[in-house]
Amino acid sequence: MQFKTIIEPFRIKTVEPIRQTTRAERERLLQEAGYNLFLLRAEDVLIDLLTDSGTGAMSSGQWAGMMLGDESYAGAKSFYKFETAVRNITGFKHVIPTHQGRAAERILFGSLLKPGEIVPNNTHFDTTRANVEYRKATALDIAVPEAHDPAHILPFKGNMDLAALEQTIADYPGRVPLAMITVTNNSGGGQPVSMANIRAASEICRRHGILFFLDACRFAENAWFIKTREPGYADKTPLAIAQEMFSYADGCTMSAKKDGMANIGGFLALNDDALAQRCKNMLILTEGFPTYGGLAGYDLEAIAVGLEEVLHEDYLQYRIRSVAYLGDILTANGVPIVQPPGGHAIYIDALAMLPHIPQSEYPAWALSLVLYLEGGIRSVEIGSVMFGHQPDGSEHPAAMELVRLAFPRRVYTQSHVDYLAEVILYVNNIREHIRGMRIAEAPSVLRHFSARMEPVCGSLLVSGKHCSLIGNKDGTT
Ligand code: F0G
């Protein structure tokens, strides 16, 4: 008998209590945090979906591996285990450990990019964009046009617009040193990229002598989508699919805090000898010797085991299904989300849910605050607070106003997800009472991390014309 329930493919050996707070406490905590969820204390959050980065639970195998950590400065056994695990999946010649993904980005771009150059990507993640721009180069997002329509359903909505890639290369002769594809496309809704798209982008780059890299943070989730959605891959293992994805690239940047299943770590892996040497030199300057790159030996062990576990089929099936489970409940109840559900997160379309809040008043930011106020849920805005400020100082609204609910790996169970759904449906019912936000103070780069915000009319929720401080649970004042 084939039973249809997809279970969490693990049992729980250690538990970590989570703390209930009252709505009145959360109201105060929000004010104290300058209405910025990044500035809350984690102990004041009930269900923390701020990110799936570094927040996963490690397995008994990973913890056991950590005891084997070799903390030698040079040539540690743990490094070779890590290098073998990375090479087995990616096939890249040089494996350079870093403390997390953005360090790999900084080292790659720092060794490669010159001012005025252009880097096309389906969609840059915020740190990737910031690291490109830090080199005075331009980060160009060229996802397929459907990626900007939250309601549009496509199996591979993370794909790169290949015509735009060709056009960019033609428009900027000699100024595009590399192109990247982010799998899955985090800032575009966690949508996967097809093997055909990766292969075609790679061919274009090779034809023009341009390096082609993957931002591989969620490579295993992307491999699962290829297996379940792309013709010809159903019978292949996630490992074989991942190997094929990497075979088309010249290198990758990776945050092991995602599909490395670790709490910290990352790597840069690549084939080009001369570029690898430049990267290693920069690594020594700022991260550490090339056999540890800012990580402890035990971190390298945890990542080596995690890279193996993340490709298990029962894990990937549970992982992708648990995100889709929330997506299905929200869709059935009319909550607008980016369709179809992504690999690591559900993205609520705040522009569609809160049409009464203009983009200049940050509807996604406001919605994320109300989810915390009402249910103790922490999410993250992926909208105009994150992306609206341009390098030249001007303001442009972001393409979408999304609230991302990112699922830590192996952390929450189905009843947590049922609770989440209940809170979100409640907030959807009182959505007309939600009011917009404005920025009180913010730095010019990566402002979402530290901005202090305030409600435009002194309150997050209002009833009728009157603003109350925040409003009652039923949305009245
Ligand atoms: N690339 C992508 C696609 C990412 O999602 C992230 C991190 C990075 C690069 C940078 O890696 O954090 O290890 O330095 N994303 C996290 C998130 C922070 O919440 O989506 P990092």
Side-chain angles (χ1 to χ4, degrees):
M1 180 65 192
Q2 188 70 44
F3 296 107
K4 67 174 182 358
T5 306
I6 296 167
I7 62 165
E8 287 87 0
F10 48 79
R11 54 185 179 180
I12 295 165
K13 186 173 275 194
T14 307
V15 295
E16 182 182 11
I18 48 179
R19 195 169 77 89
Q20 293 275 1
T21 47
T22 64
R23 187 175 186 282
E25 275 178 272
R26 293 193 293 273
E27 186 174 331
R28 177 179 54 79
L29 290 163
L30 275 180
Q31 285 167 352
E32 287 171 5
Y35 294 97
N36 185 335
L37 298 177
F38 281 103
L39 303 181
L40 287 175
R41 286 178 184 236
E43 65 180 348
D44 296 328
V45 175
L46 185 65
I47 301 213
D48 202 344
L49 306 181
L50 182 71
T51 177
D52 64 323
S53 180
T55 50
M58 291 213 298
S59 68
S60 50
Q62 285 177 292
W63 283 110
M66 287 181 78
M67 286 306 293
L68 301 173
D70 175 352
E71 304 303 339
S72 304
Y73 189 94
K77 218 189 311 178
S78 303
F79 169 73
Y80 294 106
K81 226 185 262 183
F82 167 84
E83 185 186 47
T84 302
V86 174
R87 262 204 204 127
N88 178 38
I89 298 169
T90 66
F92 296 129
K93 188 169 169 196
H94 302 281
V95 177
I96 302 171
T98 59
H99 81 276
Q100 60 184 89
R102 68 198 68 183
E105 293 164 1
R106 183 182 55 77
I107 288 168
L108 174 66
F109 300 147
S111 307
L112 187 67
L113 291 186
K114 293 198 278 298
E117 291 185 326
I118 320 285
V119 181
N121 195 322
N122 47 350
T123 314
H124 289 82
F125 181 66
D126 57 356
T127 61
T128 324
R129 167 173 291 279
N131 272 299
V132 169
E133 289 170 354
Y134 189 68
R135 300 295 302 169
K136 300 203 176 345
T138 300
L140 194 67
D141 290 341
I142 50 166
V144 289
E146 295 87 348
H148 305 297
D149 176 0
H152 196 108
I153 296 186
L154 268 190
F156 293 103
K157 220 169 127 176
N159 279 355
M160 177 176 264
D161 182 337
L162 298 169
L165 177 61
E166 290 270 21
Q167 194 60 49
T168 305
I169 296 168
D171 287 349
Y172 303 100
R175 284 172 59 195
V176 184
L178 94 157
M180 292 184 81
I181 284 189
T182 304
V183 291
T184 55
N185 188 18
N186 183 13
S187 304
Q191 300 293 325
V193 180
S194 71
M195 193 73 87
N197 192 256
I198 294 172
R199 193 186 305 121
S202 162
E203 276 163 17
I204 293 171
C205 289
R206 292 210 168 139
R207 187 153 26 86
H208 292 278
I210 289 169
L211 290 171
F212 175 60
F213 271 58
L214 291 179
D215 176 339
C217 296
R218 300 178 181 84
F219 74 95
E221 291 167 8
N222 201 83
W224 185 256
F225 282 115
I226 289 175
K227 181 177 169 70
T228 52
R229 293 185 184 171
E230 191 160 351
Y233 288 93
D235 297 330
K236 298 213 160 122
T237 63
L239 173 62
I241 296 170
Q243 286 167 333
E244 186 181 338
M245 285 163 50
F246 286 110
S247 74
Y248 299 120
D250 300 299
C252 72
T253 55
M254 170 76 185
S255 168
K257 303 173 74 172
K258 285 83 167 174
D259 276 350
M261 306 283 253
N263 298 126
I264 195 71
F267 55 85
L268 170 62
L270 69 168
N271 285 330
D272 186 282
D273 295 332
L275 179 58
Q277 195 50 53
R278 292 207 299 279
C279 291
K280 283 183 195 172
N281 292 344
M282 190 165 311
L283 185 86
I284 293 172
L285 201 63
T286 57
E287 291 274 301
F289 192 72
T291 61
Y292 74 88
L295 294 171
Y298 54 67
D299 294 323
L300 296 167
E301 294 276 346
I303 297 166
V305 177
L307 286 172
E308 198 265 319
E309 290 179 352
V310 77
L311 290 164
H312 290 183
E313 295 204 10
D314 57 355
Y315 162 73
L316 282 169
Q317 184 187 39
Y318 137 80
R319 168 81 178 153
I320 302 302
R321 178 59 205 151
S322 52
V323 175
Y325 175 76
L326 176 63
D328 290 350
I329 298 174
L330 299 185
T331 303
N333 288 280
V335 178
I337 62 167
V338 172
Q339 296 287 359
H344 65 297
I346 290 295
Y347 297 67
I348 303 176
D349 178 358
L351 267 187
M353 183 168 162
L354 306 172
H356 59 284
I357 303 182
Q359 243 184 313
S360 56
E361 293 180 6
Y362 308 112
W365 192 276
L367 176 59
S368 71
L369 296 174
V370 176
L371 290 174
Y372 175 72
L373 175 69
E374 298 298 345
I377 295 166
R378 178 155 67 169
S379 54
V380 69
E381 183 247 31
I382 301 199
S384 293
V385 179
M386 189 181 270
F387 288 127
H389 190 78
Q390 306 305 310
D392 65 4
S394 65
E395 287 285 323
H396 274 293
M400 294 188 276
E401 297 292 335
L402 305 176
V403 170
R404 186 187 73 171
L405 302 150
F407 283 46
R409 290 169 182 75
R410 303 188 292 205
V411 168
Y412 294 116
T413 63
Q414 189 168 346
S415 71
H416 291 114
V417 181
D418 287 332
Y419 170 84
L420 272 172
E422 198 182 337
V423 172
I424 298 167
L425 296 188
Y426 170 76
V427 169
N428 190 44
N429 278 338
I430 60 164
R431 64 186 180 276
E432 283 157 18
H433 300 277
I434 300 174
R435 287 296 175 270
M437 301 295 297
R438 66 172 157 250
I439 294 175
E441 54 178 275
S444 59
V445 247
L446 298 177
R447 65 183 179 185
H448 50 289
F449 290 130
S450 57
R452 297 192 80 82
M453 308 285 290
E454 55 199 20
V456 284
C457 63
S459 68
L460 274 176
L461 291 166
V462 295
S463 176
K465 290 193 189 126
H466 305 287
C467 299
S468 71
L469 194 56
I470 285 200
N472 297 325
K473 196 170 166 63
D474 64 358
T476 60
T477 53

